[in-house]
Amino acid sequence: MNKQFAVIGLGRFGGSVAKTLHDMGYEVLAIDRDPQRVQDFSQIVTHAVEADSTDENALKALGVRNFDVVVVSIGEDIQSSIMTTLILQEIGVEKVVVKARNDLHGKVLYKIGAYKVVYPERDMGVRVVHNLISPNILDYIELADDYSIIEVNAGEFFAGKTLEELDIRAKFGCNVMAIKSADRINIAPLAGDRIHRGDILVVIGHNNDLKKLEERA
């Protein structure tokens, strides 16, 4: 069976999550206290309901505890975000993913049992900065405090060379996990594979090593 998702808070982030999940074929219950937002999403997701997520009885009546994952995307109201997360834990939701405004907010959410905390504004800021440093950096995903994955557009430094010739592991301490070209993706690149201009390299490594690579890219 497909996973079922509930999204609480239909602002920019929550709305995007709800729409994307539904577009991927998942059943999505969208909840917001703003009737206009609910109306806007009534034709976009499986069900859109006006409700106060800090009302435990309302969440129980909607059967939220039966959903596989509940995403809490309440914007400016930190107190409502925390209260909603706490209620979801108490009624038995196993996986609660919560949007946090800052590190302190995130720490509180983890303390009260959030399964995962996301920082969309901070993460987007990090991605923008890396793209500003090097326009060839297409994406940046933080895996842990010191390790990340980047997608690098193959420019002059990479074009026409094999992985063996580039020797990225020895020169930069990073590993090329995959190479994406126009018509295919190579998930197990070999030393003799040649990089062409416009290919996209998926690279993993320590942030300090990735920074050196970015500066060359």
Side-chain angles (χ1 to χ4, degrees):
M1 291 179 62
N2 276 347
K3 284 186 176 181
Q4 295 178 314
F5 295 84
V7 179
I8 299 174
L10 297 175
R12 186 175 300 173
F13 175 71
S16 176
V17 170
K19 182 180 184 303
T20 303
L21 285 168
H22 186 261
D23 288 347
M24 292 174 67
Y26 293 103
E27 181 176 333
V28 179
L29 169 65
I31 302 169
D32 200 288
R33 64 175 66 180
D34 182 338
Q36 185 57 54
R37 286 182 178 172
V38 172
Q39 179 63 33
D40 291 344
F41 276 84
S42 61
Q43 302 300 315
I44 295 175
V45 299
T46 314
H47 303 287
V49 179
E50 179 186 348
D52 180 358
S53 62
T54 63
D55 182 343
E56 183 174 346
N57 291 328
L59 294 183
K60 285 181 176 178
L62 290 170
V64 172
R65 71 181 302 269
N66 297 319
F67 284 76
D68 298 287
V69 181
V70 178
V71 179
V72 180
S73 177
I74 298 173
E76 299 300 312
D77 192 343
I78 291 179
Q79 182 174 339
S80 291
S81 168
I82 293 170
M83 281 288 295
T84 300
T85 304
L86 192 57
I87 290 169
L88 292 169
Q89 286 296 311
E90 290 184 346
I91 65 177
V93 178
E94 288 190 11
K95 293 185 178 180
V96 181
V97 178
V98 194
K99 170 188 171 184
R101 285 188 60 191
N102 51 51
D103 287 339
L104 182 58
H105 184 196
K107 287 179 182 178
V108 173
L109 292 168
Y110 273 125
K111 285 283 187 182
I112 62 176
Y115 173 76
K116 183 176 179 61
V117 175
V118 295
Y119 303 86
E121 288 90 353
R122 184 193 70 181
D123 293 346
M124 180 55 67
V126 170
R127 291 181 180 186
V128 169
V129 166
H130 282 272
N131 184 255
L132 290 173
I133 293 170
S134 173
N136 285 326
I137 303 302
L138 304 179
D139 204 355
Y140 181 97
I141 302 170
E142 186 178 283
L143 296 178
D145 288 341
D146 296 323
Y147 290 88
S148 304
I149 295 174
I150 61 172
E151 287 192 349
V152 187
N153 186 45
E156 185 178 348
F157 175 74
F158 299 98
K161 303 182 181 73
T162 65
L163 288 179
E164 185 176 22
E165 290 167 344
L166 288 167
D167 205 8
I168 291 174
R169 182 180 297 178
K171 292 177 181 176
F172 301 100
C174 307
N175 288 308
V176 177
M177 299 169 58
I179 302 170
K180 296 194 285 186
S181 58
D183 57 350
R184 70 186 189 95
I185 179 168
N186 179 357
I187 60 171
L190 302 174
D193 289 341
R194 192 169 300 278
I195 310 299
H196 303 283
R197 186 178 292 274
D199 285 352
I200 297 172
L201 279 64
V202 181
V203 185
I204 186 171
H206 191 281
N207 292 340
N208 292 337
D209 297 326
L210 291 172
K211 184 174 184 294
K212 296 173 187 174
L213 181 63
E214 288 178 37
E215 290 169 351
R216 290 297 300 272

mmCIF file of all heavy atoms in Angstrom, residues 55-82:
data_model
loop_
_atom_site.group_PDB
_atom_site.id
_atom_site.type_symbol
_atom_site.label_atom_id
_atom_site.label_comp_id
_atom_site.label_asym_id
_atom_site.label_seq_id
_atom_site.Cartn_x
_atom_site.Cartn_y
_atom_site.Cartn_z
ATOM 1 N N ASP A 55 -5.726 21.605 18.677
ATOM 2 C CA ASP A 55 -6.922 21.004 19.277
ATOM 3 C C ASP A 55 -6.809 19.488 19.125
ATOM 4 O O ASP A 55 -6.988 18.941 18.038
ATOM 5 C CB ASP A 55 -8.169 21.535 18.575
ATOM 6 C CG ASP A 55 -9.463 20.990 19.175
ATOM 7 O OD1 ASP A 55 -9.414 19.971 19.901
ATOM 8 O OD2 ASP A 55 -10.529 21.570 18.901
ATOM 9 N N GLU A 56 -6.494 18.818 20.225
ATOM 10 C CA GLU A 56 -6.279 17.365 20.190
ATOM 11 C C GLU A 56 -7.496 16.631 19.667
ATOM 12 O O GLU A 56 -7.381 15.686 18.885
ATOM 13 C CB GLU A 56 -5.913 16.864 21.589
ATOM 14 C CG GLU A 56 -5.606 15.376 21.639
ATOM 15 C CD GLU A 56 -5.096 14.916 22.995
ATOM 16 O OE1 GLU A 56 -4.734 15.793 23.812
ATOM 17 O OE2 GLU A 56 -5.067 13.695 23.239
ATOM 18 N N ASN A 57 -8.685 17.048 20.077
ATOM 19 C CA ASN A 57 -9.910 16.370 19.635
ATOM 20 C C ASN A 57 -10.108 16.494 18.133
ATOM 21 O O ASN A 57 -10.585 15.561 17.477
ATOM 22 C CB ASN A 57 -11.123 16.947 20.380
ATOM 23 C CG ASN A 57 -11.116 16.576 21.863
ATOM 24 O OD1 ASN A 57 -10.638 15.508 22.226
ATOM 25 N ND2 ASN A 57 -11.634 17.460 22.692
ATOM 26 N N ALA A 58 -9.742 17.643 17.592
ATOM 27 C CA ALA A 58 -9.882 17.853 16.145
ATOM 28 C C ALA A 58 -8.971 16.898 15.375
ATOM 29 O O ALA A 58 -9.385 16.301 14.369
ATOM 30 C CB ALA A 58 -9.558 19.304 15.795
ATOM 31 N N LEU A 59 -7.733 16.738 15.843
ATOM 32 C CA LEU A 59 -6.793 15.839 15.168
ATOM 33 C C LEU A 59 -7.238 14.386 15.295
ATOM 34 O O LEU A 59 -7.097 13.605 14.350
ATOM 35 C CB LEU A 59 -5.383 16.024 15.727
ATOM 36 C CG LEU A 59 -4.717 17.382 15.463
ATOM 37 C CD1 LEU A 59 -3.301 17.391 16.010
ATOM 38 C CD2 LEU A 59 -4.714 17.698 13.970
ATOM 39 N N LYS A 60 -7.769 14.035 16.444
ATOM 40 C CA LYS A 60 -8.278 12.668 16.617
ATOM 41 C C LYS A 60 -9.447 12.403 15.685
ATOM 42 O O LYS A 60 -9.548 11.335 15.069
ATOM 43 C CB LYS A 60 -8.711 12.462 18.067
ATOM 44 C CG LYS A 60 -7.563 12.284 19.055
ATOM 45 C CD LYS A 60 -8.099 12.061 20.463
ATOM 46 C CE LYS A 60 -6.970 11.784 21.450
ATOM 47 N NZ LYS A 60 -7.475 11.605 22.841
ATOM 48 N N ALA A 61 -10.350 13.395 15.569
ATOM 49 C CA ALA A 61 -11.533 13.238 14.715
ATOM 50 C C ALA A 61 -11.147 13.066 13.246
ATOM 51 O O ALA A 61 -11.839 12.371 12.497
ATOM 52 C CB ALA A 61 -12.455 14.444 14.876
ATOM 53 N N LEU A 62 -10.023 13.667 12.855
ATOM 54 C CA LEU A 62 -9.556 13.554 11.467
ATOM 55 C C LEU A 62 -8.796 12.256 11.209
ATOM 56 O O LEU A 62 -8.436 11.959 10.071
ATOM 57 C CB LEU A 62 -8.656 14.750 11.123
ATOM 58 C CG LEU A 62 -9.359 16.097 11.010
ATOM 59 C CD1 LEU A 62 -8.331 17.220 10.903
ATOM 60 C CD2 LEU A 62 -10.281 16.110 9.802
ATOM 61 N N GLY A 63 -8.560 11.490 12.279
ATOM 62 C CA GLY A 63 -7.859 10.219 12.124
ATOM 63 C C GLY A 63 -6.391 10.374 11.772
ATOM 64 O O GLY A 63 -5.800 9.506 11.111
ATOM 65 N N VAL A 64 -5.789 11.455 12.228
ATOM 66 C CA VAL A 64 -4.406 11.752 11.868
ATOM 67 C C VAL A 64 -3.450 10.658 12.330
ATOM 68 O O VAL A 64 -2.440 10.382 11.686
ATOM 69 C CB VAL A 64 -3.993 13.135 12.436
ATOM 70 C CG1 VAL A 64 -2.504 13.383 12.247
ATOM 71 C CG2 VAL A 64 -4.780 14.238 11.747
ATOM 72 N N ARG A 65 -3.768 10.005 13.432
ATOM 73 C CA ARG A 65 -2.875 8.974 13.974
ATOM 74 C C ARG A 65 -2.718 7.785 13.023
ATOM 75 O O ARG A 65 -1.779 7.007 13.140
ATOM 76 C CB ARG A 65 -3.368 8.483 15.332
ATOM 77 C CG ARG A 65 -4.624 7.647 15.297
ATOM 78 C CD ARG A 65 -5.054 7.223 16.695
ATOM 79 N NE ARG A 65 -4.015 6.476 17.366
ATOM 80 C CZ ARG A 65 -3.895 5.152 17.314
ATOM 81 N NH1 ARG A 65 -4.745 4.448 16.588
ATOM 82 N NH2 ARG A 65 -2.949 4.534 17.974
ATOM 83 N N ASN A 66 -3.602 7.654 12.050
ATOM 84 C CA ASN A 66 -3.533 6.536 11.117
ATOM 85 C C ASN A 66 -2.612 6.800 9.923
ATOM 86 O O ASN A 66 -2.396 5.906 9.102
ATOM 87 C CB ASN A 66 -4.942 6.207 10.597
ATOM 88 C CG ASN A 66 -5.876 5.763 11.717
ATOM 89 O OD1 ASN A 66 -5.478 5.012 12.593
ATOM 90 N ND2 ASN A 66 -7.108 6.258 11.689
ATOM 91 N N PHE A 67 -2.092 8.025 9.822
ATOM 92 C CA PHE A 67 -1.222 8.359 8.696
ATOM 93 C C PHE A 67 0.210 7.925 8.980
ATOM 94 O O PHE A 67 0.669 7.967 10.128
ATOM 95 C CB PHE A 67 -1.290 9.860 8.408
ATOM 96 C CG PHE A 67 -2.557 10.268 7.698
ATOM 97 C CD1 PHE A 67 -3.754 10.364 8.390
ATOM 98 C CD2 PHE A 67 -2.550 10.532 6.343
ATOM 99 C CE1 PHE A 67 -4.929 10.714 7.744
ATOM 100 C CE2 PHE A 67 -3.714 10.880 5.675
ATOM 101 C CZ PHE A 67 -4.913 10.978 6.381
ATOM 102 N N ASP A 68 0.910 7.527 7.932
ATOM 103 C CA ASP A 68 2.282 7.031 8.085
ATOM 104 C C ASP A 68 3.232 8.137 8.509
ATOM 105 O O ASP A 68 4.119 7.923 9.345
ATOM 106 C CB ASP A 68 2.779 6.418 6.773
ATOM 107 C CG ASP A 68 1.940 5.222 6.354
ATOM 108 O OD1 ASP A 68 2.076 4.169 7.000
ATOM 109 O OD2 ASP A 68 1.159 5.345 5.407
ATOM 110 N N VAL A 69 3.067 9.314 7.918
ATOM 111 C CA VAL A 69 3.934 10.452 8.226
ATOM 112 C C VAL A 69 3.076 11.704 8.315
ATOM 113 O O VAL A 69 2.195 11.931 7.480
ATOM 114 C CB VAL A 69 5.009 10.669 7.127
ATOM 115 C CG1 VAL A 69 5.920 11.850 7.501
ATOM 116 C CG2 VAL A 69 5.830 9.407 6.915
ATOM 117 N N VAL A 70 3.341 12.514 9.340
ATOM 118 C CA VAL A 70 2.676 13.817 9.454
ATOM 119 C C VAL A 70 3.748 14.896 9.407
ATOM 120 O O VAL A 70 4.714 14.866 10.168
ATOM 121 C CB VAL A 70 1.867 13.937 10.762
ATOM 122 C CG1 VAL A 70 1.231 15.327 10.854
ATOM 123 C CG2 VAL A 70 0.791 12.860 10.834
ATOM 124 N N VAL A 71 3.574 15.832 8.479
ATOM 125 C CA VAL A 71 4.511 16.947 8.321
ATOM 126 C C VAL A 71 3.894 18.183 8.952
ATOM 127 O O VAL A 71 2.786 18.589 8.588
ATOM 128 C CB VAL A 71 4.812 17.217 6.834
ATOM 129 C CG1 VAL A 71 5.781 18.395 6.694
ATOM 130 C CG2 VAL A 71 5.375 15.971 6.163
ATOM 131 N N VAL A 72 4.603 18.763 9.916
ATOM 132 C CA VAL A 72 4.126 19.982 10.579
ATOM 133 C C VAL A 72 4.904 21.162 10.015
ATOM 134 O O VAL A 72 6.105 21.288 10.218
ATOM 135 C CB VAL A 72 4.312 19.899 12.114
ATOM 136 C CG1 VAL A 72 3.813 21.177 12.778
ATOM 137 C CG2 VAL A 72 3.583 18.676 12.670
ATOM 138 N N SER A 73 4.196 22.012 9.292
ATOM 139 C CA SER A 73 4.836 23.151 8.636
ATOM 140 C C SER A 73 4.135 24.437 9.042
ATOM 141 O O SER A 73 3.562 25.150 8.222
ATOM 142 C CB SER A 73 4.796 22.978 7.115
ATOM 143 O OG SER A 73 5.338 24.103 6.477
ATOM 144 N N ILE A 74 4.175 24.709 10.342
ATOM 145 C CA ILE A 74 3.557 25.926 10.868
ATOM 146 C C ILE A 74 4.623 27.012 10.909
ATOM 147 O O ILE A 74 5.671 26.838 11.528
ATOM 148 C CB ILE A 74 2.964 25.667 12.266
ATOM 149 C CG1 ILE A 74 1.875 24.597 12.159
ATOM 150 C CG2 ILE A 74 2.406 26.950 12.858
ATOM 151 C CD1 ILE A 74 1.326 24.137 13.485
ATOM 152 N N GLY A 75 4.360 28.122 10.224
ATOM 153 C CA GLY A 75 5.382 29.144 9.997
ATOM 154 C C GLY A 75 5.882 29.881 11.209
ATOM 155 O O GLY A 75 6.775 29.437 11.917
ATOM 156 N N GLU A 76 5.291 31.034 11.492
ATOM 157 C CA GLU A 76 5.840 31.948 12.500
ATOM 158 C C GLU A 76 5.487 31.548 13.928
ATOM 159 O O GLU A 76 6.157 31.972 14.867
ATOM 160 C CB GLU A 76 5.329 33.374 12.223
ATOM 161 C CG GLU A 76 5.740 33.934 10.877
ATOM 162 C CD GLU A 76 7.255 34.004 10.741
ATOM 163 O OE1 GLU A 76 7.911 34.502 11.678
ATOM 164 O OE2 GLU A 76 7.778 33.544 9.706
ATOM 165 N N ASP A 77 4.438 30.765 14.110
ATOM 166 C CA ASP A 77 3.933 30.471 15.455
ATOM 167 C C ASP A 77 4.657 29.259 16.045
ATOM 168 O O ASP A 77 4.220 28.116 15.892
ATOM 169 C CB ASP A 77 2.426 30.216 15.386
ATOM 170 C CG ASP A 77 1.775 30.204 16.761
ATOM 171 O OD1 ASP A 77 2.513 30.075 17.755
ATOM 172 O OD2 ASP A 77 0.543 30.319 16.829
ATOM 173 N N ILE A 78 5.777 29.523 16.724
ATOM 174 C CA ILE A 78 6.571 28.437 17.299
ATOM 175 C C ILE A 78 5.785 27.670 18.348
ATOM 176 O O ILE A 78 5.869 26.438 18.441
ATOM 177 C CB ILE A 78 7.885 28.993 17.895
ATOM 178 C CG1 ILE A 78 8.807 29.473 16.763
ATOM 179 C CG2 ILE A 78 8.595 27.942 18.738
ATOM 180 C CD1 ILE A 78 10.115 30.054 17.237
ATOM 181 N N GLN A 79 5.003 28.383 19.161
ATOM 182 C CA GLN A 79 4.234 27.718 20.211
ATOM 183 C C GLN A 79 3.255 26.714 19.607
ATOM 184 O O GLN A 79 3.135 25.580 20.096
ATOM 185 C CB GLN A 79 3.468 28.757 21.040
ATOM 186 C CG GLN A 79 2.681 28.138 22.199
ATOM 187 C CD GLN A 79 2.036 29.185 23.095
ATOM 188 O OE1 GLN A 79 2.454 30.332 23.122
ATOM 189 N NE2 GLN A 79 1.009 28.777 23.821
ATOM 190 N N SER A 80 2.571 27.092 18.535
ATOM 191 C CA SER A 80 1.632 26.165 17.893
ATOM 192 C C SER A 80 2.363 24.977 17.281
ATOM 193 O O SER A 80 1.874 23.849 17.308
ATOM 194 C CB SER A 80 0.839 26.893 16.800
ATOM 195 O OG SER A 80 -0.045 27.824 17.369
ATOM 196 N N SER A 81 3.547 25.242 16.741
ATOM 197 C CA SER A 81 4.361 24.165 16.173
ATOM 198 C C SER A 81 4.712 23.139 17.239
ATOM 199 O O SER A 81 4.585 21.924 17.025
ATOM 200 C CB SER A 81 5.638 24.757 15.566
ATOM 201 O OG SER A 81 6.573 23.754 15.261
ATOM 202 N N ILE A 82 5.148 23.615 18.387
ATOM 203 C CA ILE A 82 5.528 22.720 19.487
ATOM 204 C C ILE A 82 4.309 21.992 20.034
ATOM 205 O O ILE A 82 4.342 20.769 20.265
ATOM 206 C CB ILE A 82 6.244 23.516 20.594
ATOM 207 C CG1 ILE A 82 7.599 24.022 20.076
ATOM 208 C CG2 ILE A 82 6.436 22.660 21.847
ATOM 209 C CD1 ILE A 82 8.281 25.010 21.006
#
